[in-house]
Amino acid sequence: CWTGLSHEIGLEIPAALAFGTGHHGTTRGCLTVLAQVLKQRRPIAVLDVGTGTGVLALAAAKALKSFVASGDIDPISVEATIGNARLNGAGPWLKPVTAVGVRHPAFYGKYYDLILANILAKPLRLLAPSICARASFGAELILSGLLASDVAGVLCAYRAQGFALKRKIMIDGWATLLLARGGRG
């Protein structure tokens, strides 16, 4: 169960070859920050980069009862997300694609006011320009997959794109960041 908006949302995510059952510190961190964001506002367009099993995209889709764009470099992860969306009654809200970062026609010309990316530090740094190019005015980013020692480098990459730290939480030694254009620096 995950608490989003004002109620709990049950998600069933079987262990699979794709990453993300909801128990890892990075996933729990992203879900915690997502719940905090959803208590403040209702995002219009959400993107999950590196979706894995789709747990973050599913949580957002079920909480918002709307479409969430998602993709992963691994076709097995995309298939896992499709299966998990069906299993959790969210099939119509998720149509994941196989993509390197945000390089896919499904994402071209579209802008998102909430972008989730629970991947490792190096890919997060390398993807900073392309992820931020898909961010709408006023967008927030939830980033994880980071050890405490990774945070400064990732923040530097996103600061160069006009984003700054709004909030950081640590769970089981893993950092989750909430970034926004401007932020508190």
Side-chain angles (χ1 to χ4, degrees):
C1 275
W2 169 71
T3 304
L5 294 178
S6 61
H7 55 282
E8 280 194 354
I9 296 170
L11 295 176
E12 184 176 343
I13 307 292
L17 295 176
F19 178 81
T21 61
H23 296 96
H24 193 270
T26 60
T27 310
R28 288 188 359 243
C30 287
L31 290 170
T32 299
V33 174
L34 175 59
Q36 293 169 352
V37 168
L38 295 178
K39 287 177 184 171
Q40 300 294 314
R41 68 183 187 91
R42 185 178 176 87
I44 296 167
V46 179
L47 171 63
D48 182 14
V49 179
T51 198
T53 60
V55 66
L56 301 178
L58 278 166
K62 288 192 77 167
L64 296 167
K65 297 185 181 358
S66 65
F67 182 78
V68 171
S70 63
D72 199 288
I73 194 169
D74 179 17
I76 293 170
S77 292
V78 171
E79 288 303 314
T81 299
I82 291 167
N84 289 332
R86 277 193 217 113
L87 180 64
N88 286 278
W93 297 326
L94 290 176
K95 304 291 181 220
V97 297
T98 303
V100 176
V102 295
R103 290 189 310 212
H104 190 279
F107 307 137
Y108 297 163
K110 295 186 178 148
Y111 300 93
Y112 303 90
D113 63 330
L114 181 62
I115 300 175
L116 308 151
N118 183 13
I119 53 182
L120 298 173
K122 184 176 180 182
L124 279 173
R125 287 192 315 269
L126 294 173
L127 290 170
S130 60
I131 286 175
C132 294
R134 299 278 47 93
S136 65
F137 180 79
E140 292 177 304
L141 313 177
I142 299 173
L143 308 178
S144 197
L146 310 170
L147 295 169
S149 59
D150 298 325
V151 170
V154 170
L155 284 175
C156 185
Y158 285 83
R159 195 173 294 121
Q161 305 302 316
F163 280 81
L165 182 65
K166 204 172 166 184
R167 186 174 307 127
K168 176 179 95 170
I169 65 169
M170 298 292 297
I171 297 179
D172 297 337
W174 295 93
T176 301
L177 311 177
L178 175 63
L179 307 179
R181 289 200 197 273
R184 64 176 162 89

